[in-house]
Amino acid sequence: GDSVTQMEGPVTLSEEAFLTINCTYTATGYPSLFWYVQYPGEGLQLLLKATKADDKGSNKGFEATYRKETTSFHLEKGSVQVSDSAVYFCALSDRTTGGFKTIFGAGTRLFVKA
Amino acid sequence: EAQVTQNPRYLITVTGKKLTVTCSQNMNHEYMSWYRQDPGLGLRQIYYSMNVEVTDKGDVPEGYKVSRKEKRNFPLILESPSPNQTSLYFCASSSTGTGEYEQYFGPGTRLTVT
């Protein structure tokens, strides 16, 4: 079945450092790929998405490219801020007979120090 | 404001006492879903609904019930809660029209079963 694997955390960085959070997936179909972010005490919110191979999703300085050949969707940001401290979830959504299904990775907690 | 609301936000109950967690969305979304979030496991889908009166099991449906009598509401029912259902629960909704499957999440309900 479909699955999502993302790097374990926590990841601790200093402000203005470069961020990479790795995410790989397995899927039988042609899924859409997402990064969701969860700030402390809140629900998940969409950070960025890509719906087909070679698409690049971007938002708030974060980027991720849908790489079908390596089945990856790594999240990157050139210069993190303290306010980026949160838990990041990689996810895929794919059509099913009954509609669609979403699979989430385990989440990666990011701490950014001032 | 477009949103998904859940109530209650926090609930402490005892084993066997039936409870309902409500979920409502104001975006006219066809799709709604319930997830539970446990440390190290990410989000796991409990039940989902593609539209009114159409529901289906997710990955961890045991011990839960749902109903979808109105498009905006999707309550989660625990008929006889047990301690292993202590978790953080999220409701989510999505429009199926775009085929991109991005989801909008509620703020979460933290349930403790003693």
Side-chain angles (χ1 to χ4, degrees), chain A residues 10-33:
Chain A
V11 174
T12 302
L13 296 172
S14 297
E15 209 165 21
E16 299 184 3
F18 185 85
L19 168 71
T20 300
I21 301 178
N22 291 335
C23 172
T24 58
Y25 68 92
T26 59
T28 53
Y30 300 92
S32 296
L33 301 177

Side-chain angles (χ1 to χ4, degrees), chain A residues 4-13 19-24 35 73-75 87-90 105-110:
Chain A
V4 174
T5 303
Q6 60 182 106
M7 62 188 288
E8 290 189 25
V11 174
T12 302
L13 296 172
L19 168 71
T20 300
I21 301 178
N22 291 335
C23 172
T24 58
W35 278 100
F73 193 56
H74 305 320
L75 182 68
V87 181
Y88 293 81
F89 292 92
C90 185
T108 302
R109 185 176 295 276
L110 170 66

Side-chain angles (χ1 to χ4, degrees), chain A residues 38-87:
Chain A
Q38 183 180 30
Y39 297 104
E42 298 183 11
L44 280 71
Q45 54 186 275
L46 179 69
L47 179 60
L48 54 84
K49 67 181 178 185
T51 58
K52 61 183 187 298
D54 299 325
D55 270 2
K56 177 186 281 189
S58 62
N59 186 26
K60 299 181 182 179
F62 292 90
E63 293 184 340
T65 301
Y66 190 143
R67 301 282 188 203
K68 191 169 171 58
E69 64 275 13
T70 55
T71 61
S72 64
F73 193 56
H74 305 320
L75 182 68
E76 296 182 335
K77 186 176 186 183
S79 176
V80 294
Q81 305 300 313
V82 172
S83 57
D84 293 327
S85 297
V87 181

Side-chain angles (χ1 to χ4, degrees), chain A residues 32 34 36 38 41-46 49 51 87 89 93-96 98-107, chain B residues 9 31 35 37 40-43 45 48 50 56 58-59 88 90 94 96 99-108:
Chain A
S32 296
F34 303 88
Y36 287 89
Q38 183 180 30
E42 298 183 11
L44 280 71
Q45 54 186 275
L46 179 69
K49 67 181 178 185
T51 58
V87 181
F89 292 92
S93 291
D94 204 357
R95 291 187 67 84
T96 65
F100 74 90
K101 186 176 181 66
T102 300
I103 306 292
F104 287 86
Chain B
R9 294 289 312 278
Y31 179 92
Y35 298 90
Q37 181 181 13
L41 297 178
L43 274 74
Q45 190 174 47
Y48 65 95
M50 290 301 297
D56 207 347
D59 296 317
L88 180 58
F90 289 101
S94 177
T96 57
E100 295 183 348
Y101 316 132
E102 66 181 83
Q103 295 183 67
Y104 295 79
F105 285 82

Side-chain angles (χ1 to χ4, degrees), chain B residues 36 46-47 60-66 76-79 84-87 89 111:
Chain B
R36 60 178 289 172
I46 303 170
Y47 270 95
V60 289
E62 295 77 18
Y64 304 95
K65 285 177 57 177
V66 293
L76 179 70
I77 303 160
L78 284 72
E79 295 269 4
N84 65 11
Q85 293 177 299
T86 292
S87 188
Y89 291 87
L111 172 65

